[in-house]
Amino acid sequence: FVAGVEEAGSSEAHVSFVFNASSWLCFLTDKLWRCLVYFGPWGRMPCLLVNYLHSHGLAHTELRLENVHISPVDRHIKVGILGNAADFYEDGQNNTTLDNNMDRRRMMIGFDMRCLGFMMAKMVLRELMDPLIFSKFKTFLVKLSRTQLIYTSLQGHDPSCLREFMLQTLNRSSSSGNVGLQMLDRNWGAGWNLLSSLLATKPSKRMSCLDALRHPFLCGPRWRITPSMDIIRWGLGSTAVRIIEEYIYSRPQRNRISYFIELMEMLNPNSKPKNWFELLPGKWRLIYCTGRHVGLTLRQPPARVLIGNVSLTVSKLSKQSRDLSFTSSVDFTVMTGQDWPHDKTGVDGQLQVNSPFKLMSGKRLYLKGEKNTTSGRFSFGESTDMDSLAPKLLAGRWRKALPFKEFPSSLRVAKLASGENVDITMTFDDGEKGRGNVVQARDALREVRIQLPPEMFDLSRIVCGTFVDARHLVLRGVNGSALLFARSCLDQ
């Protein structure tokens, strides 16, 4: 028994019932991958059916691809209801059980939306059809227990980090070459925003069917909508990350990345210290720095060093105070010989810097009337000149997105005051032959410091945090340069 919903040009929905007993899972996946360009209409059909059921007080409870079929006549998606539909109100809408019925309704709607999120993820990402990858995908979304939260200092597997997790699972450094990842990256990463809203850990935070039908990913160019402020913030971070992944840091790209970082700081939703104390703990991967970049092609360093993962781990020292511990970790490889070999293998090493910090409330001041020495060019985020930043940020399409009409003289930030105790540890695994080779370790350390932003080696140079959410973190150094981080899931 199959029920389907067809969209007929307007907001009305027509329900059709068709008898079918065969499973079309293979045919369904093949058809969906042939029509990925038109995923907007295909993705809206299951939402229309689930919205029809919810509006009539019913929950599907068995939403999965095995119950989804494609009609060969009208090419519409049909979702099966195999006698598993459940009523929201088990004992009727009595006043005595109204609270219990509302909790039951929220729970059942949240369960259907989570199942709908799994369906859409499989419809777009073909790799999730592999049972092993899909099991990792579901395990990542399982909320950590309270004991694990205490020992790992993490907030659980936030669905907003799905892109970072999928790139790691598929062994990719960017979305290029994968049609599913490129579809989710389209329209400023709107697909990842939709998936994270459907797969939220708490059922109360999951998106409803009506909100999903108004989402930019499902509307596409056919229906023009006004994006919310959360989607605008999401799009800014997603676009900046995609530009960074191209790894062609010419002047226009660096200017554009700095421009996006400034916009993210203007739209920071978590400016209070209590919000920072909740969101900041965790492991963050450094993806970009607006300061000076040192390349490898025009220099002849004494040690050929390749930088690996650069991360910043923030942990709480106590629940009562706002004392934090910052640990900067740098993985690197030192290659033997004077030339750059094709095989980039060598001696592995790691550098760790630990320092305590205190989180306080502060302000970032924008100075007025300074002369800009870059002749009107955007200065890679190191300038705090109001006259040079205001025309860039308050012009064009972003004028309506910013919450103020005039450029402010200051913004609320999280002030970070470093402590006096700093621990620096370096491990250099050179085997039995190179034990005690202090010169090679010293050259490697010097080269690591040249390639790294100075704030990652000397943590006391970090003075404030200007943006934080579930995905991204922006810290500012004493020289004005910005460090952009992405929440890492490597240890999860």
Side-chain angles (χ1 to χ4, degrees), residues 78-98:
K78 315 293 180 178
V79 181
I81 307 178
L82 307 177
N84 47 265
D87 195 346
F88 288 155
Y89 310 103
E90 188 176 10
D91 300 327
Q93 300 186 21
N94 299 328
N95 293 331
T96 57
T97 60
L98 183 60

Side-chain angles (χ1 to χ4, degrees), residues 30 74 83 126 143 175 177 244 263 274 287 291 309-310 381 384 405 411:
D30 182 67
D74 53 8
R126 195 171 189 176
K143 186 177 180 181
S175 60
I244 293 168
L263 285 172
K274 64 177 183 179
I287 57 178
N309 293 320
V310 181
T384 57
K405 296 182 180 180
L411 288 178

Side-chain angles (χ1 to χ4, degrees), residues 29-40 120-128 163 166-167 170 172 174-187 189 191-192 195 217 242:
T29 55
D30 182 67
K31 282 289 185 182
L32 287 176
W33 268 90
R34 293 181 184 179
C35 304
L36 275 179
V37 179
Y38 307 100
F39 180 77
M120 288 191 176
K122 282 188 172 182
M123 290 166 70
V124 179
L125 295 172
R126 195 171 189 176
E127 292 81 4
L128 293 180
R163 187 181 188 275
M166 290 305 301
L167 289 178
L170 302 179
R172 291 180 175 271
S174 66
S175 60
S176 60
N178 188 294
V179 180
L181 296 177
Q182 289 177 350
M183 281 192 59
L184 295 174
D185 283 342
R186 194 171 55 185
N187 292 336
W192 297 108
L195 281 183
F217 183 68
R242 289 192 62 190

Side-chain angles (χ1 to χ4, degrees), residues 196-208:
S196 66
S197 301
L198 294 175
L199 300 174
T201 305
K202 295 182 179 180
S204 59
K205 293 186 177 181
R206 291 172 193 161
M207 183 178 290
S208 63

Side-chain angles (χ1 to χ4, degrees), residues 47-91:
C47 289
L48 287 167
L49 172 63
V50 176
N51 181 58
Y52 178 84
L53 292 176
H54 290 175
S55 63
H56 286 72
L58 296 174
H60 192 281
T61 72
E62 289 290 340
L63 285 170
R64 54 177 181 264
L65 282 182
E66 287 80 356
N67 296 332
V68 176
H69 315 277
I70 297 181
S71 173
V73 178
D74 53 8
R75 295 173 59 85
H76 283 86
I77 292 180
K78 315 293 180 178
V79 181
I81 307 178
L82 307 177
N84 47 265
D87 195 346
F88 288 155
Y89 310 103
E90 188 176 10
D91 300 327

Side-chain angles (χ1 to χ4, degrees), residues 289-306:
C289 174
T290 60
R292 182 174 60 96
H293 287 203
V294 179
L296 299 175
T297 56
L298 301 179
R299 298 185 301 114
Q300 294 295 328
R304 268 61 175 174
V305 177
L306 288 180

